[in-house]
Amino acid sequence: MALVVQKYGGSSLESADRIKRVAERIVETRRAGNDVVVVCSAMGDTTDELLDMARQVNPEPPERELDMLLTAGERISNALVAMAIESLGEQARSLSGSQAGVITTSAHQNARIMDVTPDRVREALDEGQVVMVAGFQGVSQESKDITTLGRGGSDTTAVAVAAAMGADVCEIYTDVDGVYTADPRIAKDAKHLDRVTYEEMLELAATGAKVLHLRAVEYARRYAVPLHVRSSYSSKPGTIVSGSVEDLSVEQAMITGVAHDRSEAKVTVRGVPDSRGVAGRIFRAVADAEIDIDMVLQNVSGVASGRTDVTFTVAKSNGAEAVAELEKIKDEVGFQEVVYDDDVGKVSLVGAGMRSHPGVTAAFCEALSDSGVNIEIINTSEIRISVLVRESQLEDAVSTLHSAFELGGEEDAVVYAGSGR
Amino acid sequence: MALVVQKYGGSSLESADRIKRVAERIVETRRAGNDVVVVCSAMGDTTDELLDMARQVNPEPPERELDMLLTAGERISNALVAMAIESLGEQARSLSGSQAGVITTSAHQNARIMDVTPDRVREALDEGQVVMVAGFQGVSQESKDITTLGRGGSDTTAVAVAAAMGADVCEIYTDVDGVYTADPRIAKDAKHLDRVTYEEMLELAATGAKVLHLRAVEYARRYAVPLHVRSSYSSKPGTIVSGSVEDLSVEQAMITGVAHDRSEAKVTVRGVPDSRGVAGRIFRAVADAEIDIDMVLQNVSGVASGRTDVTFTVAKSNGAEAVAELEKIKDEVGFQEVVYDDDVGKVSLVGAGMRSHPGVTAAFCEALSDSGVNIEIINTSEIRISVLVRESQLEDAVSTLHSAFELGGEEDAVVYAGSGR
């Protein structure tokens, strides 16, 4: 008998009919002889609706109360799925994050899981129950207040519960049947991947692949929980995420895929005095506003002028704030101007094979150059190359790289879509 | 500094605007120098909507899961009110029933409060917070599962928290500004009551006055918590419920009011063999289906036939089931037929003054007789007389008694309406 943890996203639960379908799949897994723990997100748009109500009574709702409010969404979906399971003749019990022992930090809206003490989950499993654990939520170790885990929270709950219980697999059900070599809406011949390592999945998730959330993959890697990404709407085999690039032989280590991301904007600080510590001051001003910087480019200074440009990318949603923070230190730092440009896109090539093939970066740049795509910033890790390009050239860049590295399959792929939290 | 517990019903919270109005009143109470604990019901129709979703996924939803589902409603309203309070510049903290220490029996959907351990409530008050406690919910002492308290649950939560904390008053905010001598939609000159005893309020609540729930009044009486029934929409003084009829002088002991109830139906079992234990068999069959019997009439048997009729009332919502249960034992008991009649209404006169005025029952019957109202069943307590009449004569009966006992005021009353749970 295996222990299976399953996670279902909000769009898989958006109506009574979809809830019943999810319940059928859970019951099927149970009747195949498995112990089953299920983590559900809130139904469809529940979270957005609750947020909207909150803003109507308080334009800046306090985070502690926002957590109390939003966690109602997962309690509702969990209880409904439990009821649907019982109507199919199996026993089910829903637990809140707190009841399931999901202990977190006190950072409301963005808490981290510190520990999972799943005594009540185990007890209920021993009684033959399917156990529902409300995703996205926990209880603060310090204040005993209800917390939420931020974006991707339900994925993280599922992985954390799977890790704490030593589950055989953590199945993530979503709109798509797994991970592809590229977005099939752009690369028509994108190929389904049966298996990727944690490191490759991390790089893909970090560079725009929406199928899994970064934090959940990080958690799975740390505790070696095998993830299985599957579609809620089909019985296709999906993609297994497990193992390390370290364990791959040279033959196995390939180029995995191409990811892209339209969520970033480019900020250029022009005419920065070329003296020590000035770039640091600029990045510190942005960091102090809790804005993450992704790619960075610092031009070589013009010898004559003694001035240089500093360029970096931030999430578009933080763009206005980043510019405002920089304007505040303009006179003090003595730069000339800030230029904001959100007409950019990021394309990344990911694959364990890069480690043993030093020619990949060259081939990557040549391919883009041959098809007329201009690279504005480049940034690499051991198994990833990312470049910033014009937004209008983003799809071309994806197709070009997908072809150049021969990632396509023989058939056209099924439609691919993003997934919820 | 006083400690005030306030309870707001669902219709007072059905929109963002109403929530803001409730928040204003809470902040006003706080700024008048009081410690304030607030208990809210779920917003407007939330509970019905959640119930409807439950039935869509399972026509007979399991009660444990139903409790998990429904309690989300009060968490939502509590968090929203807390946010609205914070937007007005006061601090507020919402707690679930479990966090507030509301410990109950394990009877899902109809749990009883066993204890309230309000440590976290007190702590937050000490920090200067307005404390929101989710109404209608608690946590089972035995199973640690989330429970709900059944109808009138939020009133009961408010009273129980007030009792546990030694509050100076428990204010129940509702659609009406207190208790009246009769329903002003029927008796136009119904008079507002400034004060009633617990016993009188219990009798009124038990016989159809919807302004307070029976269990909450019972709880308030047991722990001597003064209740203050007020309107959410006005600043009128409301009605104070406190004290015992025992403590009233003869001059203070008056007739309080007339209550009426359309929710019952009459069941008559005809031709029952007049032998020992037969009536008991009939009532047992109904009780075993967990149906409460209210008024009872057993005719004197016909000497010749050796048979009699047994008549009683049950809630209309249980009528069909009661009849079905009786049909099952028809042959065994040997009665002739069951007649179901839901064209009836109950009218009750309540008042501490009855104890010292033995003529009240006679005056009551004469008044009804004079205005042509026929009494079908009569049933009394020390401070109440109730009779079952034709539904078509119910309003006549209310007006007649209201006039006969000179309960009217000089002005016409404001409109009166029922209230939520």
Side-chain angles (χ1 to χ4, degrees):
Chain A
M1 182 184 282
L3 171 57
V4 178
V5 175
Q6 299 186 330
K7 182 259 169 179
Y8 294 91
S11 60
S12 311
L13 300 162
E14 69 184 13
S15 65
D17 281 344
R18 290 209 174 167
I19 285 175
K20 287 185 201 169
R21 270 221 312 246
V22 163
E24 279 165 19
R25 190 182 285 266
I26 294 167
V27 166
E28 209 173 275
T29 311
R30 171 80 189 128
R31 290 188 178 155
N34 300 294
D35 276 344
V36 187
V37 177
V38 179
V39 175
C40 286
S41 298
M43 292 173 70
D45 300 325
T46 309
T47 304
D48 290 339
E49 287 164 15
L50 290 172
L51 264 174
D52 183 54
M53 282 207 279
R55 295 205 182 100
Q56 283 179 43
V57 300
N58 187 335
E60 291 181 9
E63 294 192 326
R64 180 196 181 281
E65 296 304 324
L66 213 44
D67 281 355
M68 183 63 111
L69 180 76
L70 297 183
T71 49
E74 279 76 14
R75 288 167 72 111
I76 291 172
S77 59
N78 267 259
L80 290 173
V81 174
M83 290 174 190
I85 292 171
E86 297 230 351
S87 81
L88 297 174
E90 291 294 323
Q91 288 191 293
R93 190 175 297 167
S94 73
L95 299 175
S96 68
S98 165
Q99 289 176 331
V102 180
I103 314 293
T104 72
T105 60
S106 304
H108 287 292
Q109 290 284 294
N110 198 25
R112 303 268 150 178
I113 295 177
M114 297 170 70
D115 195 12
V116 179
T117 51
D119 301 344
R120 291 185 66 176
V121 179
R122 206 159 267 138
E123 228 168 72
L125 282 180
D126 289 346
E127 291 171 20
Q129 309 264 352
V130 172
V131 186
M132 310 290 310
V133 175
F136 178 64
Q137 60 184 259
V139 60
S140 154
Q141 186 169 50
E142 204 180 281
S143 66
K144 310 291 178 218
D145 284 333
I146 304 301
T147 54
T148 63
L149 306 177
R151 278 192 61 78
S154 290
D155 285 7
T156 309
T157 302
V159 175
V161 168
M165 304 196 64
D168 296 278
V169 64
C170 178
E171 299 179 341
I172 307 282
Y173 286 89
T174 177
D175 294 339
V176 293
D177 67 346
V179 184
Y180 279 77
T181 52
D183 183 340
R185 286 172 304 193
I186 298 176
K188 298 288 175 213
D189 63 343
K191 211 166 63 185
H192 181 265
L193 295 166
D194 297 335
R195 184 173 286 273
V196 292
T197 62
Y198 293 118
E199 289 93 333
E200 290 164 310
M201 193 65 234
L202 276 176
E203 294 284 11
L204 287 168
T207 54
K210 290 184 180 64
V211 66
L212 279 175
H213 286 277
L214 191 57
R215 282 171 65 187
V217 183
E218 281 171 348
Y219 211 107
R221 180 196 189 189
R222 190 171 346 136
Y223 294 98
V225 176
L227 298 180
H228 190 174
V229 182
R230 303 183 64 180
S231 163
S232 301
Y233 311 117
S234 80
S235 52
K236 292 195 179 169
T239 300
I240 303 272
V241 183
S242 70
S244 165
V245 293
E246 307 290 337
D247 304 326
L248 295 178
S249 66
V250 173
E251 293 78 45
Q252 288 174 303
M254 316 274 283
I255 300 300
T256 312
V258 180
H260 69 278
D261 187 356
R262 289 186 170 91
S263 72
E264 296 189 7
K266 184 172 82 164
V267 177
T268 305
V269 187
R270 288 247 166 89
V272 177
D274 193 15
S275 54
R276 223 170 64 188
V278 171
R281 294 281 298 285
I282 287 171
F283 296 138
R284 168 58 55 202
V286 177
D288 283 350
E290 297 200 14
I291 297 169
D292 284 330
I293 287 172
D294 180 21
M295 307 176 88
V296 173
L297 174 73
Q298 186 168 2
N299 294 348
V300 177
S301 63
V303 177
S305 68
R307 289 185 178 267
T308 182
D309 294 347
V310 175
T311 303
F312 57 89
T313 64
V314 295
K316 279 179 182 162
S317 55
N318 291 326
E321 200 187 346
V323 171
E325 292 298 324
L326 291 170
E327 291 292 355
K328 285 186 201 163
I329 59 163
K330 183 177 174 184
D331 292 342
E332 181 195 336
V333 172
F335 60 77
Q336 283 159 349
E337 62 171 345
V338 182
V339 180
Y340 180 73
D341 174 4
D342 62 3
D343 226 17
V344 294
K346 185 168 78 167
V347 59
S348 304
L349 186 73
V350 172
M354 290 184 199
R355 301 163 79 231
S356 41
H357 294 89
V360 172
T361 306
F364 180 103
C365 294
E366 282 160 12
L368 289 184
S369 167
D370 287 351
S371 64
V373 176
N374 188 39
I375 295 173
E376 306 194 7
I377 312 184
I378 187 163
N379 169 320
T380 64
S381 81
E382 208 181 17
I383 61 167
R384 174 185 53 78
I385 307 169
S386 299
V387 294
L388 198 73
V389 301
R390 285 293 95 197
E391 209 276 340
S392 57
Q393 294 190 314
L394 184 63
E395 298 202 359
D396 270 359
V398 171
S399 305
T400 297
L401 293 171
H402 196 256
S403 301
F405 288 92
E406 296 173 353
L407 296 172
E410 277 153 27
E411 297 167 27
D412 278 3
V414 294
V415 173
Y416 171 103
S419 86
R421 73 171 187 221
Chain B
M1 182 184 277
L3 171 57
V4 178
V5 175
Q6 299 187 328
K7 181 261 170 178
Y8 295 92
S11 60
S12 311
L13 302 162
E14 70 184 12
S15 65
D17 281 342
R18 292 210 171 168
I19 285 175
K20 286 185 201 169
R21 270 221 313 244
V22 163
E24 280 165 18
R25 191 182 284 268
I26 294 167
V27 167
E28 211 172 274
T29 310
R30 171 79 189 128
R31 291 191 178 154
N34 300 294
D35 276 344
V36 188
V37 177
V38 179
V39 175
C40 286
S41 298
M43 292 172 71
D45 299 326
T46 310
T47 304
D48 289 339
E49 287 163 17
L50 290 172
L51 264 174
D52 183 54
M53 280 207 280
R55 294 207 183 99
Q56 284 178 44
V57 301
N58 187 335
E60 291 180 11
E63 294 193 325
R64 181 197 181 281
E65 297 304 325
L66 212 44
D67 280 355
M68 183 64 112
L69 181 75
L70 296 183
T71 49
E74 280 76 13
R75 289 166 71 109
I76 290 171
S77 59
N78 268 260
L80 290 172
V81 174
M83 291 174 188
I85 293 171
E86 298 230 350
S87 81
L88 297 174
E90 293 292 324
Q91 288 191 293
R93 191 176 296 165
S94 74
L95 299 175
S96 68
S98 165
Q99 288 176 332
V102 180
I103 314 293
T104 73
T105 60
S106 304
H108 287 293
Q109 290 283 293
N110 198 25
R112 302 269 150 176
I113 294 179
M114 297 170 71
D115 195 10
V116 179
T117 52
D119 302 345
R120 291 185 68 175
V121 180
R122 206 158 267 139
E123 228 169 73
L125 283 180
D126 290 347
E127 291 171 20
Q129 309 263 354
V130 171
V131 186
M132 311 289 312
V133 175
F136 178 65
Q137 60 184 262
V139 60
S140 154
Q141 185 170 52
E142 203 180 283
S143 66
K144 310 291 176 216
D145 284 334
I146 303 301
T147 54
T148 63
L149 306 177
R151 276 192 62 77
S154 290
D155 285 7
T156 309
T157 302
V159 174
V161 169
M165 303 197 64
D168 296 279
V169 63
C170 179
E171 299 179 340
I172 307 284
Y173 285 90
T174 175
D175 294 339
V176 294
D177 66 347
V179 184
Y180 279 77
T181 51
D183 183 338
R185 286 173 303 193
I186 298 176
K188 297 289 175 213
D189 64 343
K191 212 167 61 187
H192 181 266
L193 295 166
D194 296 336
R195 185 174 284 276
V196 292
T197 61
Y198 293 119
E199 291 92 334
E200 290 165 310
M201 193 66 234
L202 277 175
E203 293 285 11
L204 287 168
T207 56
K210 293 186 179 62
V211 67
L212 280 175
H213 286 279
L214 192 57
R215 282 170 66 186
V217 182
E218 280 171 348
Y219 211 106
R221 179 195 190 191
R222 191 174 340 136
Y223 293 98
V225 176
L227 298 180
H228 190 174
V229 183
R230 302 184 64 181
S231 163
S232 301
Y233 310 118
S234 80
S235 53
K236 292 197 178 170
T239 300
I240 302 273
V241 183
S242 71
S244 165
V245 292
E246 307 290 339
D247 303 326
L248 296 179
S249 66
V250 172
E251 293 77 45
Q252 288 175 304
M254 317 274 282
I255 301 300
T256 312
V258 180
H260 69 278
D261 186 356
R262 288 188 170 90
S263 72
E264 296 190 6
K266 184 171 82 164
V267 177
T268 305
V269 188
R270 287 246 166 90
V272 177
D274 193 14
S275 54
R276 224 171 62 188
V278 171
R281 293 282 299 287
I282 287 170
F283 295 137
R284 169 58 54 204
V286 177
D288 282 350
E290 297 200 14
I291 297 171
D292 285 330
I293 287 173
D294 180 20
M295 307 176 89
V296 173
L297 174 73
Q298 186 168 4
N299 294 347
V300 177
S301 63
V303 179
S305 68
R307 286 185 180 267
T308 184
D309 293 348
V310 174
T311 303
F312 57 88
T313 65
V314 295
K316 279 178 182 162
S317 55
N318 291 326
E321 201 187 345
V323 171
E325 291 299 323
L326 290 169
E327 291 292 355
K328 285 186 200 162
I329 59 162
K330 183 178 174 183
D331 293 340
E332 181 195 335
V333 171
F335 61 77
Q336 284 160 347
E337 62 171 344
V338 182
V339 180
Y340 180 73
D341 175 3
D342 62 4
D343 225 15
V344 294
K346 185 169 78 165
V347 59
S348 305
L349 186 74
V350 172
M354 289 184 201
R355 301 163 79 233
S356 41
H357 294 90
V360 172
T361 307
F364 180 103
C365 294
E366 281 160 14
L368 289 183
S369 166
D370 286 352
S371 66
V373 175
N374 189 38
I375 295 173
E376 306 195 6
I377 311 184
I378 185 162
N379 170 319
T380 65
S381 81
E382 209 182 15
I383 61 167
R384 175 186 51 78
I385 308 169
S386 300
V387 293
L388 199 72
V389 301
R390 284 293 96 199
E391 210 274 341
S392 57
Q393 295 190 313
L394 184 63
E395 298 204 357
D396 271 358
V398 171
S399 305
T400 296
L401 294 171
H402 196 257
S403 302
F405 289 91
E406 296 173 352
L407 297 172
E410 278 153 28
E411 298 166 27
D412 279 4
V414 295
V415 173
Y416 171 104
S419 85
R421 75 171 186 220

